[in-house]
Amino acid sequence: MLAADEIAHRLGEVRERIARAAQRSSRSTDAICLILASKTQPADAVRAAYEAGARHFGENYVREAADKRAELADLRDATWHLIGHLQTNKTRLATRTFAIIQTVDSARLADAIAHAHPTPPMRVLIEVNLGGEPDKSGVGAGDAESLIEAARAKVEIIGLMTIPPHAESATGARNYFAKLRRLRDRLAARSGLALSELSMGMTEDFEVAIEEGATMVRVGRAIFGERPK
Ligand SMILES: *Cc1c(COP(=O)(O)O)cnc(C)c1O
């Protein structure tokens, strides 16, 4: 892992880039939640980021996250987001480990979450597979509305999340982010739900995502360095 002061320094740089992107698009920096994607990073790296002011962490694997949270139980005001695919058999542990599940992509999964965590309803985002890529999780854009209708009574749907197809250029990424925002606007109008959260943008493209309306960016390597293999 990187040294604690290096993590703090990189966190400061990312925060500045977020502030500049927000300013360029006449948005308030406070409207953008920085989530540190900490998969495969040791608990000490998360702790270093926390001590430098980070409060939101995103993990991909339920078991790894549960173990890390146990090691970091003293960080009481940290918020943990599940940003990786959730298998139904891990749902119970996931609802105990995370405050927000960003990767709901089927009615079956929403059912399992509600069964494990009926009250208060779990806060979730709907993961959208914008490129329709068969090897990626996420609901197709065309099926998002029926998923929202099936899941809205069971979980608290606060927005949409996406990992867009790899784009060669910033413009390519921008088109996907704009697409998610327009989809959100349409779904919010049709469902009457606010769907205020748009979780999009990672190390390579978080500034473009902010310009297109991201309210949550998930940044790993820019803060923690390359992930251990
Ligand atoms: C790993 C990961 C990120 C962060 O990716 P970086 O390129 O390291 O910033 C964001 N979102 C998800 C879902 C991830 O799995």
Side-chain angles (χ1 to χ4, degrees), residues 12-95:
E13 281 183 341
V14 168
R15 285 202 187 290
E16 270 176 38
R17 288 169 61 189
I18 289 173
R20 283 199 295 271
Q23 204 169 24
R24 277 199 296 283
S25 39
S26 308
R27 302 184 57 206
S28 160
T29 306
D30 298 341
I32 298 143
C33 173
L34 169 60
I35 299 173
L36 273 57
S38 46
K39 58 173 176 277
T40 76
Q41 298 296 338
D44 282 348
V46 172
R47 185 178 294 283
Y50 179 92
E51 278 165 7
R55 289 296 178 271
H56 291 262
F57 300 94
E59 289 278 342
N60 290 63
Y61 311 105
V62 177
R63 172 47 63 191
E64 177 189 334
D67 292 348
K68 221 178 275 183
R69 259 208 81 165
E71 261 186 86
L72 297 166
D74 55 313
L75 312 187
R76 296 206 172 271
D77 60 345
T79 298
W80 295 82
H81 303 246
L82 178 61
I83 61 174
H85 180 64
L86 177 57
Q87 292 168 314
T88 3
N89 65 346
K90 293 268 170 56
T91 310
R92 190 163 297 277
L93 184 58
T95 60

Side-chain angles (χ1 to χ4, degrees), residues 7 12 31-32 44 60 95 148 157 174 191-192 204 206 209 220-221:
I7 290 173
I32 298 143
D44 282 348
N60 290 63
T95 60
I148 287 173
I157 306 171
R174 184 182 299 281
S191 67
E204 301 294 343
F206 67 88
R221 289 169 301 146

Side-chain angles (χ1 to χ4, degrees), residues 161-226:
M161 176 269 204
T162 196
I163 310 168
H166 179 72
E168 290 303 331
S169 65
T171 314
R174 184 182 299 281
N175 288 341
Y176 284 115
F177 297 144
K179 206 168 158 181
L180 191 73
R181 189 193 60 226
R182 288 195 301 268
L183 177 65
R184 186 279 306 275
D185 292 348
R186 210 155 56 234
L187 294 170
R190 293 176 69 101
S191 67
L193 297 172
L195 304 179
S196 53
E197 302 295 342
L198 278 179
S199 174
M200 56 189 194
M202 322 199 288
T203 288
E204 301 294 343
D205 51 23
F206 67 88
E207 289 149 300
V208 178
I210 289 168
E211 290 170 14
E212 294 302 327
T215 63
M216 296 174 166
V217 292
R218 312 177 307 263
V219 180
R221 289 169 301 146
I223 290 159
F224 294 117
E226 291 303 317

